[in-house]
Amino acid sequence: MDKMLITGGYQLNGQVAASGAKNSALPILFSTLLAEGEHHFDNVPLLKDIESTAELLQSLGCDSHREGHSFKVHVTKLKSFEAHYDLVRKMRASILCLGPILAKYGEAVVSLPGGCAIGTRPIDLHLDAMKQLGAEIELKDGYVLAKAKKLKGGTVFFEKTTVGGTENLMMAATLAEGVTIIENAAKEPEIVDLANYLNKMGAKITGHGTSVMRIEGVDKLTPARHSIMPDRIEAGTLLIAGAITSGEVEVTHCQPHDLEALILKMRESGFKIETTANSIKVFATKTWEAVDITTAPHPLFPTDLQAQFMALMTVARGTSVITETVFENRFMHVNELMRLGADITPKSQVAVVRGKPDGLTAAPVMATDLRASASLVLAGLIAKGETTVGRIYHLDRGYEGLETKLSALGAKVRRAH
């Protein structure tokens, strides 16, 4: 099993490009199931989760072909409407094939999903939404059995904002009869990217990026070409890597307006940050102040950057309070950061971080989920000695060549078996 070895104490400097967004690419790849023919995507990241999605699409009867960051999916009439457990367990986003298959073919059998162990993340909201469009849903032997001769539009109110639930419903509603209104819809940039692709295919979606979306069902969608948006979480992680090492790093090929909450908090902490239309630059700062953050749905502070920001706060001056409101198990990195010498008191939804500007000390640590693994790599960049991060297969699910990008900026990072 691969691990990452990081020798701390090297300042990062230079320019680095963000890759395409995993959290945008996955739903968009599943949306291809709505339209037979060849779909063509650019800026698709080279990630384990993309491979898992291609495997799942192939099991349903689709062909896919990758050349670098270009990705083609050829969809014919599906040979199977079942997303099998062996494939779905690898990746939680697999549940996103439910809406498209159900809407297009009238039935779908999808295994209950797996993925990172960061909380319950129930799919009840997805299933309730499908029921409100007229689907019959049954749970049997660990599978969701969904049927609907023809989905019918209606008003769906999500009691809790759900990114996956909004995406699944959006895709299903494109081929439903009549108009669907989604209230309390998720507003994440990845939702907007999915809506943009669906509209390119011929869907009639308005209000994406706001809390109320309107989708007018159409009879048929056709394949199109689309470039996947930049990964805001990767961009934020690379920006924090520059900051935590007191370096000067410019992240290019990104959209700064998608990271306003992070930029605001970093400036509040004492970092000088400059932005252009598609780049963010952090300037070298020797010391920075502790600031509090509370995670919440977009446009507030993203839960996917909480662990990385916590790593930055472990060496800040003062005490910060980090509150996690999105996932209940998202402090699993805390004990590992403490192995590196961080002073953190975790409670159920709150962690109190007492900054140690003198730094951390290297130790062997273990990644427990995707973003936790990134936070441990960031902490390793400044820990005295060599830090070993185990189980980095988590990292490969969501970061394209992170060690290569960090090495190019001056980090001493290598991968070992």
Side-chain angles (χ1 to χ4, degrees):
M1 199 177 285
D2 279 11
K3 52 193 173 188
M4 202 173 279
L5 307 176
I6 307 156
T7 304
Y10 290 87
Q11 189 184 65
L12 302 196
N13 291 291
Q15 228 181 42
V16 61
S19 300
K22 169 185 93 93
N23 289 343
S24 181
L26 299 181
I28 285 175
L29 288 176
F30 284 121
S31 78
T32 61
L33 295 166
L34 291 162
E36 290 171 24
E38 188 166 270
H39 303 252
H40 193 160
F41 303 107
D42 301 301
N43 201 35
V44 178
L46 297 155
L47 298 173
K48 197 75 190 156
D49 273 10
I50 300 291
E51 286 175 29
S52 299
T53 302
E55 267 184 74
L56 180 48
L57 289 172
Q58 202 167 351
S59 75
L60 296 168
C62 307
D63 286 325
S64 62
H65 175 70
R66 176 196 274 286
E67 273 184 37
H69 293 96
S70 176
F71 198 94
K72 291 178 183 174
V73 181
H74 190 78
V75 181
T76 54
K77 187 168 175 18
L78 299 190
K79 66 179 186 187
S80 167
F81 303 143
E82 180 177 329
H84 200 269
Y85 170 73
D86 289 344
L87 296 169
V88 175
R89 70 181 172 82
K90 297 178 187 175
M91 185 184 62
R92 187 159 194 89
S94 304
I95 192 66
L96 294 176
C97 68
L98 175 66
I101 298 174
L102 179 62
K104 177 109 171 104
Y105 298 100
E107 61 177 298
V109 179
V110 181
S111 169
L112 293 167
C116 281
I118 56 173
T120 53
R121 299 202 280 183
I123 61 161
D124 310 14
L125 297 170
H126 299 234
L127 304 184
D128 287 344
M130 297 301 158
K131 283 179 188 171
Q132 288 182 63
L133 296 194
E136 291 175 18
I137 304 281
E138 186 186 350
L139 296 179
K140 189 177 180 186
D141 303 330
Y143 281 80
V144 176
L145 280 58
K147 283 190 176 177
K149 279 185 183 169
K150 179 74 175 171
L151 293 175
K152 291 190 166 46
T155 298
V156 178
F157 172 76
F158 282 120
E159 283 186 24
K160 185 179 178 188
T161 307
T162 161
V163 174
T166 300
E167 290 166 341
N168 234 336
L169 180 57
M170 281 167 70
M171 292 188 279
T174 58
L175 293 179
E177 200 177 280
V179 174
T180 299
I181 305 289
I182 307 176
E183 295 183 348
N184 196 26
K187 297 180 281 198
E188 271 66 9
E190 295 80 9
I191 298 273
V192 176
D193 207 28
L194 172 61
N196 288 341
Y197 184 60
L198 291 169
N199 283 341
K200 280 184 186 177
M201 284 201 282
K204 294 181 177 177
I205 303 173
T206 54
H208 37 297
T210 75
S211 58
V212 181
M213 290 172 64
R214 184 182 189 276
I215 303 161
E216 189 181 328
V218 296
D219 293 332
K220 189 183 178 197
L221 297 174
T222 52
R225 183 167 188 162
H226 185 72
S227 183
I228 302 297
M229 66 171 277
D231 194 319
R232 63 194 172 103
I233 304 302
E234 185 204 21
T237 302
L238 293 167
L239 196 69
I240 294 171
I244 203 169
T245 61
S246 297
E248 188 168 300
V249 169
E250 182 178 20
V251 184
T252 62
H253 295 82
C254 65
Q255 296 171 345
H257 57 82
D258 290 341
L259 280 166
E260 283 176 357
L262 172 66
I263 292 168
L264 191 71
K265 283 296 177 180
M266 288 181 73
R267 283 179 175 153
E268 190 184 323
S269 188
F271 292 97
K272 182 189 173 191
I273 292 176
E274 284 182 0
T275 63
T276 68
N278 57 8
S279 74
I280 312 172
K281 186 174 185 177
V282 61
F283 290 83
T285 305
K286 284 280 180 244
T287 59
W288 51 94
E289 304 301 319
V291 293
D292 301 341
I293 61 162
T294 298
T295 65
H298 191 78
L300 302 176
F301 199 95
T303 180
D304 279 354
L305 282 171
Q306 176 258 104
Q308 300 90 310
F309 197 82
M310 186 184 290
L312 183 64
M313 290 297 99
T314 62
V315 286
R317 285 196 312 194
T319 299
S320 58
V321 177
I322 294 178
T323 307
E324 174 60 55
T325 72
V326 181
F327 295 128
E328 71 273 19
N329 287 355
R330 207 149 207 182
F331 283 151
M332 291 194 289
H333 49 282
V334 168
N335 287 336
E336 301 303 303
L337 287 172
M338 287 165 70
R339 285 175 57 78
L340 298 171
D343 184 352
I344 307 171
T345 306
K347 299 197 165 94
S348 59
Q349 301 293 109
V350 175
V352 178
V353 185
R354 296 169 195 86
K356 299 172 81 172
D358 292 343
L360 306 175
T361 309
V365 290
M366 189 179 292
T368 51
D369 63 70
L370 170 54
R371 306 307 172 185
S373 54
S375 78
L376 299 176
V377 170
L378 293 176
L381 292 173
I382 49 157
K384 297 175 185 76
E386 187 177 74
T387 297
T388 305
V389 183
R391 286 191 181 170
I392 58 160
Y393 60 85
H394 286 293
L395 205 61
D396 297 333
R397 287 188 44 233
Y399 289 93
E400 180 182 330
L402 184 61
E403 69 273 23
T404 308
K405 292 185 179 185
L406 293 175
S407 296
L409 294 171
K412 293 289 178 271
V413 181
R414 63 192 174 89
R415 188 178 279 248
H417 294 294

